[in-house]
Amino acid sequence: MSRVDAHHHVWDLSVREQSWMVGPELDPIRRNFSLEDLAPLATAADVTATVLVQTVGLVEETVEFLEAAASNDLVAGVVGWVDLTAPDVADALAALQARADGSYLKAIRHQVHDEPDNDWLLRPDVQRGLAAVADAGLAYDLLTKTPHLPAAIQTARNLPQLTFVVDHISKPVIGEPLDPWATHLRDLAALPNVTCKLSGMVTEANWTTWTPKDLQPYADTVLEAFGPTRVMFGSDWPVCLLAATYAEVVETAETLTATLTPADQESVFTTTATRTYNLSSP
């Protein structure tokens, strides 16, 4: 089965610093990571298409990622960034889509979990910006934690025309009680315009002692709430390297979905991402 990795990053620290890399605990990934580094890992895991996701709030990075997608057969789509609060957000999106490589732009994302206001998504300027994303025919990746989920739920209700993708199952702390995260996630899953990435879990667990058993209740909650046809696998490479290799992340996802039917496994590993991001078939 050909697979889609619906969430990974690359960065070159000689081009720009990654401002989110704060603290010595991130030293293991404080170096450059390229598509050339990812390619053999993807091949070994039967991943034939990927979605390259923004890491910083700069349009310049999005342009670089579009150029990378156009020149590398592995990358089938890009989740980029624009300033959702800007009055000219529609023009910014149109400019990116008008590029020769603009068809690789599939979604927009902002580091909502870094905003001090848990209701940032509900700001009128942000809501206007999200409506522009929908008008551009793009999806929107929700990078949130549990405190941001009520605003995310209301936002998805406000904008039924926009497809939302929850990144990293909204980053619950693995090992803590499932609620209120689980209740909020189920409320979000009740909305038909929301999908979810089975990604980012290993770095929300204890980096050195986690096991698939620790992650299973969270994965089960996601799969039960959204159903496999609205869940997609993502590696979160190279951030995942803080806790697991690429191969270990893929193997863990296989373990977490082992009780699904082959058709449902195909949804998680291929079909959901292909449909949601309008990718060429892997």
Side-chain angles (χ1 to χ4, degrees):
M1 176 177 65
S2 299
R3 291 168 166 167
V4 176
D5 179 349
H7 196 107
H8 75 88
H9 311 286
V10 296
W11 54 74
D12 184 339
L13 299 181
S14 69
V15 174
R16 69 179 60 85
E17 292 296 319
Q18 298 290 316
S19 58
W20 54 273
M21 284 191 194
V22 178
E25 65 273 13
L26 297 184
D27 285 349
I29 59 171
R30 206 182 308 276
R31 61 180 179 85
N32 297 343
F33 290 92
S34 69
L35 292 173
E36 288 70 28
D37 296 323
L38 176 61
L41 307 175
T43 297
D46 294 325
V47 169
T48 57
T50 71
V51 178
L52 176 56
V53 180
Q54 65 87 224
T55 64
V56 295
L58 290 171
V59 172
E60 290 82 358
E61 181 194 58
T62 300
V63 170
E64 294 161 7
F65 283 3
L66 293 174
E67 292 172 346
S71 62
N72 192 297
D73 291 340
L74 183 60
V75 179
V78 169
V79 177
W81 183 91
V82 295
D83 183 357
L84 292 173
T85 69
D88 64 346
V89 60
D91 294 337
L93 291 166
L96 289 170
Q97 291 180 303
R99 294 172 49 88
D101 48 22
S103 63
Y104 287 99
L105 185 66
K106 305 299 183 180
I108 297 297
R109 186 176 87 148
H110 177 78
Q111 273 80 348
V112 174
H113 67 17
D114 290 337
E115 294 289 344
D117 180 5
N118 289 343
D119 291 333
W120 183 86
L121 284 164
L122 294 174
R123 284 173 37 169
D125 53 355
V126 175
Q127 294 274 301
R128 184 185 65 245
L130 290 170
V133 173
D135 289 344
L138 302 172
Y140 182 76
D141 271 37
L142 284 163
L143 182 57
T144 55
K145 294 184 178 180
T146 300
H148 311 97
L149 284 176
I153 294 163
Q154 187 58 53
T155 297
R157 288 179 179 143
N158 291 348
L159 296 161
Q161 74 275 29
L162 179 57
T163 296
F164 291 88
V165 183
V166 180
D167 286 353
H168 311 326
I169 70 171
S170 200
K171 299 174 78 72
V173 179
I174 306 299
E176 291 191 354
L178 291 178
D179 277 326
W181 165 80
T183 296
H184 291 324
L185 200 77
R186 292 187 186 104
D187 289 344
L188 199 53
L191 304 172
N193 57 323
V194 185
T195 61
C196 188
K197 289 182 184 177
L198 198 65
S199 64
M201 289 184 288
V202 295
T203 48
E204 298 303 318
N206 184 296
W207 293 355
T208 57
T209 64
W210 70 271
T211 68
K213 185 178 179 180
D214 299 325
L215 311 183
Q216 193 73 61
Y218 302 85
D220 288 347
T221 298
V222 169
L223 289 165
E224 290 166 7
F226 286 92
T229 60
R230 288 195 290 146
V231 175
M232 64 184 86
F233 163 74
S235 68
D236 198 27
W237 181 90
V239 180
C240 69
L241 298 178
L242 295 167
T245 66
Y246 192 91
E248 287 170 338
V249 169
V250 173
E251 182 180 358
T252 297
E254 292 171 347
T255 298
L256 297 176
T257 59
T259 61
L260 299 180
T261 66
D264 284 345
Q265 290 173 351
E266 186 172 8
S267 289
V268 172
F269 284 100
T270 306
T271 314
T272 301
T274 302
R275 181 187 70 250
T276 302
Y277 286 126
N278 191 28
L279 307 177
S280 299
S281 298

